[in-house]
Structures are given as structure tokens and as C-alpha cells.
Amino acid sequence: MTDTGGGGESLFEEMMAEAVDPLYLELPDGDDTAAWTLHAVDSDGVIDLDDLTGALDVVEALVGDELAGEVLDVLADLPWDRTLDTAALLRRHFTLVELRPGLWPQLVEQIDLYGEAIESDLADRGIDLLDFFRGARPWTQLARMLPRLPEGSRYRAALLDDEDLARARIEAEDDEDDDAPSKSDRPPLIGETQDRALLRQAVSFLRRIEHGLYNSRAPKSKRSKAPDPLKGPETAEDRLRDLLGDADVEDIFDQVTPGWNRGDDVPSGFKRNLSGLLVPDD
């Protein structure tokens, strides 16, 4: 019997081995029985799942290079349905469900690179990262959560501290078309509160005071224009006003706002219901 898996350099494999019970794989081998204990599947095989079409390829990829030769030699002498069953068993035991193309490589990479930071951030929110390996939570939920972890999280800090990722971002910026739209200088709408808005106003006020003090002492040739107030998050209404102009926006609001919010006249003998429609005033 061969004992393998879970001891490599892949954090994804280490967490899988910690979360999931070992798989005791047995296959008939002539008059004997071949057996292997798998603590985890090969993370490179998980990454390749999108490109694997046959059950034999799935088994070879998931058991890893160390065991692939042994397992495939045994399966070669068995009916084809044993290969199908083995591939299904590996995926089922280690919760390797079907995901949209590209998601498995993304998940394995993020956990291998930033798994400890992700685990800590989720623990702060009462979520155990190992639950995704156990099948207690769907992998698609983790994929949705990662990009939405807030500023100041360990995961976001790890991304910002990754030199390879920083280099890739810089190279991507250099390759961008000059006509590409510039990034917004406004803060994100998520997390905006009244406290943040008041703090932004206070900072804007202090900047204008600082500018005024500088201009009062600087030569006339070096005086500058007062800084603009710091911008808040951009809302859908802001974008609509920029696109259509204030007058057109008010017309749109009139069309979608119930009549009791508008100051229009109501003909004698009628009234507006809560939907803004004219009805007889009984």
C-alpha cells in the first residue's frame, strides 16, 4: 500500500489534506489487491481539469506523477467502468465539482499564493476556509467573496505586497492604449458612510486653509488655484447627470417617481393613488 499526497509545496494540497479524510483507493490486481492512501489530489491536476475530457486523463492528473504509472497499469487490466468509477470517486471524495471554465485554476492559484491571508480574513467573518474543501460551502461562493474582501483585509494587503503581481500590473499599464478610459479618481461606493463623507469634507476644508495660508505668503507669481473638494463615490445618478444634463434627469425622475412626490396639478374630481395614477376622487 502506498501513502501519498498532502505533503508537497502546494498550500492547496496541504489544506485539502487537513480538511478531508484520506481516500483509501483499492483496485483488484490479478489475485491480489492494489491499494493506495491519498491524503489529497495533485493541485496541478485540479488546475488541468478544464482541459481533461477522458476519465483516464482525470485519474492520471489527480493522483499525480508519483502514483499515475501504478494506478494506470492496474486500471489497464480492468473493465472500463472501473476507470470511470475511479475518476468519479476522486472528484466526489475531494469535492472537485464541475465549475465554469477557468475557475479551478483561479481558486488553486489564489489559495496557493494567499491561502493563509484568505483563511484569516474568512475566520474574522465566522467562515472556515476548510469548509470549501469539505463541501460544506460551494467553491463558487469563495470565488465571489475573494474580490469583495474589503480594503485593509489581509488578502488585499497580500495582493498589494506581491511583487510579481505589481510587475504584471505595471506592464499591463504600459501596454494600454493611450485612448483607453482613465481610471476613476473617486472612492468606491461600497463602504461609503456619513462619517466618511464628513471626513472628506473636513479634509477638503483643511486643504483649502493650507492653500490659503501658502498663497498669503507666496509671491504673486507662485500663487496657485485653490484645490477642488475631494470627490465622493460616483452614483448612477451622477453618471446620468453627466450624460444627459440636470434638466433631462429631472424629466426622467418625474416619469418614474409616484405622483405624490411631484407638485403637478390634479384635475378637479380626481386624485392620484400611491402609484401616481389619476383615479376618481370619490
Side-chain angles (χ1 to χ4, degrees), residues 27 48 56 64 78 81 99 104 108 134 136 141 145 185-186 192 198-199 206 208 218 233 235 250 269:
L27 292 172
D48 292 337
L56 197 62
L78 298 175
D81 60 352
L99 298 178
W104 273 124
V108 174
R134 299 182 183 114
Q141 183 186 45
M145 294 176 68
D185 58 351
R186 294 190 169 196
E192 176 69 5
L198 292 173
L199 181 60
L206 290 174
R208 294 180 70 87
T235 64
E250 296 302 333

Side-chain angles (χ1 to χ4, degrees), residues 11-282:
L11 184 56
F12 183 89
E13 292 180 21
E14 291 181 14
M15 288 188 168
M16 178 178 285
E18 182 179 345
V20 183
D21 291 334
L23 172 62
Y24 187 65
L25 179 62
E26 289 184 316
L27 292 172
D29 186 13
D31 296 331
D32 200 358
T33 299
W36 304 269
T37 300
L38 282 78
H39 295 275
V41 293
D42 190 280
S43 59
D44 290 334
V46 178
I47 291 174
D48 292 337
L49 280 176
D50 288 345
D51 302 322
L52 304 178
T53 56
L56 197 62
D57 295 332
V58 171
V59 173
E60 181 180 9
L62 294 183
V63 299
D65 295 337
E66 184 179 345
L67 291 184
E70 298 178 24
V71 176
L72 295 187
D73 284 345
V74 174
L75 286 173
D77 297 328
L78 298 175
W80 177 244
D81 60 352
R82 293 306 297 262
T83 300
L84 296 174
D85 292 344
T86 302
L89 175 63
L90 288 167
R91 297 197 66 150
R92 182 173 62 253
H93 185 86
F94 293 104
T95 324
L96 301 175
V97 297
E98 293 286 346
L99 298 178
R100 61 174 171 80
L103 192 52
W104 273 124
Q106 175 187 337
L107 289 169
V108 174
E109 179 187 49
Q110 294 299 297
I111 292 175
D112 270 345
L113 293 175
Y114 318 114
E116 293 180 358
I118 294 170
E119 185 176 37
S120 296
D121 284 335
L122 295 184
D124 290 343
R125 292 158 177 78
I127 299 172
D128 187 352
L129 177 58
L130 299 185
D131 279 346
F132 295 96
F133 290 91
R134 299 182 183 114
R137 289 178 176 271
W139 285 107
T140 48
Q141 183 186 45
L142 179 61
R144 291 192 300 269
M145 294 176 68
L146 289 183
R148 291 169 174 79
L149 287 174
E151 294 181 10
S153 65
R154 298 172 184 85
Y155 173 65
R156 294 286 290 271
L159 292 178
L160 293 174
D161 199 39
D162 188 321
E163 293 185 3
D164 292 334
L165 193 58
R167 186 177 296 107
R169 282 198 298 265
I170 293 173
E171 292 174 354
E173 290 174 359
D174 292 340
D175 294 338
E176 282 183 357
D177 188 350
D178 293 338
D179 295 331
S182 58
K183 295 182 180 179
S184 173
D185 58 351
R186 294 190 169 196
L189 191 58
I190 297 175
E192 176 69 5
T193 63
Q194 182 67 17
D195 289 342
R196 286 193 178 186
L198 292 173
L199 181 60
R200 194 163 47 245
Q201 291 178 8
V203 172
S204 297
F205 183 65
L206 290 174
R207 291 175 67 197
R208 294 180 70 87
I209 292 177
E210 181 184 37
H211 174 267
L213 291 174
Y214 172 81
N215 272 2
S216 67
R217 300 172 183 174
K220 188 173 182 179
S221 60
K222 293 188 177 181
R223 294 176 186 174
S224 59
K225 177 185 174 183
D228 294 328
L230 295 176
K231 296 180 180 179
E234 184 180 50
T235 64
E237 182 178 339
D238 294 329
R239 293 191 297 272
L240 194 58
R241 289 187 184 279
D242 290 341
L243 181 64
L244 301 177
D246 289 346
D248 291 334
V249 172
E250 296 302 333
D251 290 341
I252 293 176
F253 284 170
D254 283 344
Q255 295 176 30
V256 299
T257 303
W260 45 264
N261 275 342
R262 304 197 303 260
D264 55 352
D265 295 329
V266 177
S268 177
F270 290 86
K271 65 179 181 180
R272 289 192 182 275
N273 62 15
L274 293 179
S275 299
L277 301 176
L278 288 174
V279 295
D281 187 8
D282 297 331

